[in-house]
């Protein structure tokens, strides 16, 4: 059966050139700093993000955890969006493991935090309050239609942080999608950020891994945090080799995913019983709402799945489609046909 897997960009399989690079990778003990392939990936990542140094870690969740622990101590507070991945989907690890208190402010539909809301959430110096240390942004914003946050906004948040002696962390799991959509370099989006993480294993199709980027002394702290989380890997160059291919070969093709997502959204919005805002489909993520109250996302995704089209239910009447490396424009047309049939049942 033809399969069009739109559940996530994390389902991507390593490309043939990634597999070759992994097989041939020169490796060493990375806890001793002796893995040349990891070192090369970290140098490349730092350079692309315009930071001094970088650290290869196992996942996006670990990248965020390490980043927060390196900025904050126990009892410190972070300001982040109420739809942020770090808040919703990382087990509250910042509090559970780091002792870090979250203050959530509403994410706007485009993934931004209103500047007034950020200012309001910054604590005064008072014995009753935790100390605000960090503002966390997500770019692109997964739960907010994969929206890219523009450089002007990112700089405006950086300015607030500087004025109040705070730091900025960017969960840039899909920062290269943001840069592609906005027509800028990824480093232009994070010039004011003290740390930025990005995932190799999502839209860039590497099998494993994320990278934390920041100043040299910050990355030294992050390295310690990674170790205590159990993330000090040894011959990790096998994985980093695929990451290098991800950075060199997979960024330029992201526009195809965005075009496919836009096409999907544009046609689905015209289908009776569904609502999608094609204006919101700016990167590779599309959220689809079911207007027909007799139909649930569980039932509709099961119907689609019987014809090989896979989506993720994200609410009782909401589903998510994420275009990715394995999905062609022809697959999108096929998926659209399957949607029409599934809604007629
Ligand atoms: C915005 C964002 N941040 C972080 C993560 C966590 O990444 P991982 O699944 O590699 O832990 C995800 C995963 O989907 C994500 O979408």
């Amino acid at each position: 059966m033809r399969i069009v897997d739109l559940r996530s960009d994390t389902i991507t399989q390593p490309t043939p050139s990634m597999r070759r690079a992994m097989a041939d990778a020169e490796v060493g003990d990375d806890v001793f700093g002796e893995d040349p392939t990891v070192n090369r990936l970290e140098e490349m990542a730092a350079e692309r993000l315009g930071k001094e140094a970088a650290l290869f870690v196992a996942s996006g969740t670990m990248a965020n955890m390490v980043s927060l622990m390196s900025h904050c101590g126990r009892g410190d507070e972070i300001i982040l969006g109420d739809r942020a991945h770090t808040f919703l989907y990382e087990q509250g690890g910042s509090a559970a493991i780091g002792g870090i208190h979250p203050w959530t402010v509403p994410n706007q539909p485009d993934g931004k935090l209103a500047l007034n809301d950020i200012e309001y959430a910054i604590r005064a110096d008072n014995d009753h309050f935790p100390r605000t240390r960090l503002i966390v942004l997500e770019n692109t914003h997964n739960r907010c239609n994969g929206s890219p946050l523009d450089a002007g906004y990112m700089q405006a948040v950086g300015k607030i942080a500087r004025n109040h002696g705070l730091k900025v962390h960017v969960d840039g799991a899909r920062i290269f999608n943001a840069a592609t959509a906005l027509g800028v370099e990824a480093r232009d989006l994070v010039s004011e950020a003290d740390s930025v993480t990005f995932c190799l294993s999502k839209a860039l199709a590497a099998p494993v891994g994320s990278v934390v980027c920041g100043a040299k002394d910050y990355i030294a702290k992050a390295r310690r945090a990674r170790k205590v989380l159990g993330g000090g890997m040894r011959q990790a160059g096998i994985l980093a080799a695929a990451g290098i291919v991800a950075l060199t070969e997979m960024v330029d093709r992201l526009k195809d995913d965005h075009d496919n997502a836009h096409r999907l959204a544009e046609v689905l919005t015209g289908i009776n019983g569904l609502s999608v805002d094609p204006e919101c489909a700016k990167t590779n993520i599309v959220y689809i709402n079911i207007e027909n109250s007799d139909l649930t996302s569980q039932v509709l995704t099961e119907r689609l799945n019987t014809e090989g089209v896979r989506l993720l239910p994200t609410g009782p009447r909401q589903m998510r489609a994420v275009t990715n490396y394995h999905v062609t424009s022809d697959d999108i047309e096929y998926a659209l046909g399957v949607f029409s049939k599934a809604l007629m049942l």
Side-chain angles (χ1 to χ4, degrees):
M1 182 168 57
R2 183 172 186 172
I3 301 290
V4 182
D5 197 342
L6 293 162
R7 289 170 302 161
S8 177
D9 46 11
T10 56
I11 59 92
T12 43
Q13 301 267 326
T15 65
S17 84
M18 284 179 189
R19 289 179 188 272
R20 279 194 299 276
M22 292 172 81
D24 295 343
E26 213 188 324
V27 296
D29 189 331
D30 181 49
V31 174
F32 291 157
E34 289 174 4
D35 189 304
T37 309
V38 172
N39 292 343
R40 192 154 12 104
L41 170 66
E42 291 176 345
E43 277 162 29
M44 284 174 64
E47 206 272 321
R48 290 231 27 182
L49 275 299
K51 303 294 175 200
E52 284 175 2
L55 183 75
F56 182 50
V57 298
S59 67
T61 301
M62 184 182 276
N64 284 329
M65 191 66 239
V66 156
S67 300
L68 269 45
M69 285 171 71
S70 306
H71 283 300
C72 303
R74 300 185 71 77
D76 287 344
E77 190 166 71
I78 55 175
I79 297 171
L80 80 174
D82 62 354
R83 315 283 286 157
H85 194 280
T86 303
F87 181 63
L88 290 177
Y89 301 121
E90 295 174 15
Q91 276 194 22
S94 60
I97 299 173
I100 302 162
H101 192 248
W103 178 318
T104 54
V105 305
N107 274 115
Q108 303 302 308
D110 62 0
K112 292 176 181 165
L113 308 178
L115 300 181
N116 287 344
D117 288 344
I118 295 178
E119 297 257 18
Y120 179 78
I122 298 171
R123 304 273 197 166
D125 184 9
N126 180 311
D127 277 355
H128 295 85
F129 299 155
R131 285 206 176 96
T132 311
R133 287 276 182 224
L134 182 70
I135 303 169
V136 178
L137 299 174
E138 187 175 314
N139 198 2
T140 63
H141 202 291
N142 180 342
R143 282 298 300 177
C144 295
N145 295 302
S147 299
L149 278 56
D150 62 274
Y153 173 78
M154 301 295 280
Q155 279 157 13
V157 174
K159 196 165 162 208
I160 294 176
R162 300 291 158 252
N163 288 344
H164 292 272
L166 307 178
K167 304 286 185 190
V168 175
H169 170 66
V170 178
D171 174 354
R174 298 181 181 82
I175 195 76
F176 291 104
N177 292 85
T180 301
L182 297 164
V184 299
E185 293 295 327
R187 71 163 69 82
D188 299 335
L189 298 175
V190 295
S191 58
E192 295 297 316
D194 299 281
S195 58
V196 52
T197 58
F198 70 88
C199 292
L200 297 160
S201 61
K202 296 195 168 64
L204 303 184
V208 178
S210 290
V211 187
V212 183
C213 304
K216 264 199 186 117
D217 57 345
Y218 174 80
I219 293 299
K221 281 194 210 166
R223 211 176 158 84
R224 278 185 64 80
R226 181 184 70 173
K227 192 76 177 83
V228 76
L229 294 174
M233 296 184 281
R234 302 294 177 172
Q235 285 71 34
I238 295 274
L239 303 173
I244 290 172
V245 176
L247 273 182
T248 48
E249 295 181 8
M250 302 302 282
V251 174
D252 288 348
R253 59 155 305 284
L254 293 176
K255 187 176 179 311
D256 296 347
D257 294 347
H258 298 180
D259 290 346
N260 285 339
H262 194 76
R263 166 79 184 154
L264 189 72
E266 207 170 43
V267 177
L268 287 182
T269 198
I271 294 184
N272 210 2
L274 298 180
S275 77
V276 191
D277 184 350
E279 281 313 304
C280 289
K282 294 202 169 101
T283 62
N284 64 339
I285 300 180
V286 181
Y287 284 93
I288 301 147
N289 297 306
I290 303 170
E291 299 297 328
N292 172 355
S293 58
D294 297 333
L295 187 62
T296 64
S297 54
Q298 202 62 43
V299 170
L300 184 53
T301 49
E302 276 162 23
R303 282 186 199 165
L304 295 168
N305 198 22
T306 59
E307 303 267 355
V309 175
R310 298 183 181 158
L311 275 82
L312 198 69
T314 44
R317 292 201 163 68
Q318 190 194 57
M319 299 173 302
R320 188 185 76 171
V322 186
T323 53
N324 61 71
Y325 167 60
H326 299 296
V327 176
T328 63
S329 54
D330 195 51
D331 288 332
I332 294 294
E333 300 310 317
Y334 173 74
L336 288 167
V338 172
F339 252 102
S340 301
K341 260 183 19 197
L343 284 162
M344 279 190 284
L345 290 178

